[in-house]
Amino acid sequence: PCLRSASYFQRRHKQPTTNEPPTPATSHQPPATNNQPPNNMNLLTLFDEAKELKASDIHLATGEIPCVRIAGELVRLDMAPLDRDALTALLEPMLTAELRARVDSGLPVEHQILHADLSFAGIAFRVGNTGLAATFRILANAIPALDKIGDLAMPLLTRIAETPRGLVLISGPTGSGKWTTACSIVNAINEKRPARIFVVENSPNYRFESKRGLVTQLSVGQDCDSCVRALEIAQHADLD
């Protein structure tokens, strides 16, 4: 797919107010120097910019300009490419020295950062011998109610939430809202039924608060070593 700049994307959706020709795109930040991120830019300011652009994901990679995904389209931000040192400095809130060593050994690191009213679920991983990459999925802290998922789907979602047993598969492309939909259904059960609920996930995205139900979240890699182990735990813990 064609990669466009953030300024292009903003101009494309901005309503013209005069007949004057558009001005050339300008950088949001000055270019990086001395192997450091652009002045005044850190991970939180990058999160703020992504939020302002209504992005769903942030993509960072050694030697590349930072990108965000907006309405399904990959968009380059108006800044210089980041080298390994600059990207490592940018990811400092996520990667301690111990976690950096883990990434350098070839193992991915997942981490969740809460900022403002959003949750940024990130994964950092090594690319090649010296490269580094990271991706952040941007989510609202609060689990959306079923009626916020889609009005036309409410009868189906409500029927699923009211079904006492069975297997439900939610499919779709990356970023289409599969996990958000699943969490909304589970939270509806949590609100309406005194059920014992287990949520098994590779990396925590939403935080459940027990309501009528009792909810336990198991993070694979942190609370247990595999999804199979998590299901074994749930099976022996009187789940509904």
Side-chain angles (χ1 to χ4, degrees), residues 37 57 59 80 98 109 115 122 174 233 237:
D57 303 85
H59 295 272
E98 180 181 351
V109 168
H115 177 59
T174 299
I233 293 171

Side-chain angles (χ1 to χ4, degrees), residues 13-239:
H13 291 278
K14 184 177 180 181
Q15 296 297 324
T17 55
T18 68
N19 292 325
E20 297 178 0
T23 56
T26 57
S27 257
H28 288 274
Q29 302 285 351
T33 58
N34 299 325
N35 295 330
Q36 292 296 321
N39 293 338
N40 301 321
M41 190 187 83
N42 54 44
L43 200 55
L44 298 185
T45 58
L46 181 62
F47 288 169
D48 289 335
E49 182 164 1
K51 176 184 177 181
E52 183 179 350
L53 292 170
K54 301 185 185 305
S56 62
D57 303 85
I58 301 171
H59 295 272
L60 306 170
T62 301
E64 299 288 346
I65 297 173
C67 296
V68 295
R69 189 174 296 280
I70 304 174
E73 183 176 346
L74 207 56
V75 178
R76 283 193 174 100
L77 297 178
D78 295 326
M79 59 180 66
L82 298 174
D83 62 17
R84 172 65 185 252
D85 291 338
L87 183 51
T88 300
L90 186 64
L91 295 175
E92 186 176 357
M94 176 182 179
L95 296 178
T96 63
E98 180 181 351
L99 293 180
R100 282 201 304 272
R102 176 183 171 89
V103 172
D104 290 339
S105 71
L107 298 174
V109 168
E110 296 185 66
H111 189 73
Q112 184 180 32
I113 298 175
L114 302 180
H115 177 59
D117 57 342
L118 296 175
S119 171
F120 295 82
I123 180 170
F125 50 96
R126 192 183 74 183
V127 179
N129 292 328
T130 59
L132 179 66
T135 299
F136 291 90
R137 170 63 52 84
I138 305 173
L139 299 164
N141 277 332
I143 303 172
L146 286 181
D147 59 359
K148 301 298 182 182
I149 297 296
D151 291 340
L152 297 178
M154 271 301 293
L156 172 61
L157 297 177
T158 301
R159 189 164 75 250
I160 292 173
E162 292 175 350
T163 301
R165 61 185 59 84
L167 177 65
V168 177
L169 301 178
I170 302 175
S171 63
T174 299
S176 61
K178 300 183 295 295
W179 188 245
T180 298
T181 300
C183 289
S184 297
I185 293 172
V186 170
N187 205 43
I189 297 171
N190 177 34
E191 291 174 342
K192 296 178 181 179
R193 303 210 311 255
R196 184 71 173 101
I197 301 168
F198 281 82
V199 179
V200 179
E201 50 198 334
N202 287 325
S203 58
N205 291 320
Y206 293 107
R207 293 296 181 185
F208 285 84
E209 178 182 347
S210 295
K211 297 176 182 177
R212 291 199 69 194
L214 176 59
V215 183
T216 295
Q217 291 180 257
L218 295 176
S219 176
V220 175
Q222 175 179 310
D223 303 319
C224 48
D225 58 359
S226 67
C227 287
V228 172
R229 184 74 64 193
L231 294 177
E232 289 175 352
I233 293 171
Q235 183 180 3
H236 290 90
D238 190 33
L239 81 162

Side-chain angles (χ1 to χ4, degrees), residues 4-12 24-26 28 53 75-78:
R4 303 187 185 278
S5 69
S7 57
Y8 167 87
F9 194 91
Q10 290 173 322
R11 291 199 309 273
R12 189 178 67 176
T26 57
H28 288 274
L53 292 170
V75 178
R76 283 193 174 100
L77 297 178
D78 295 326

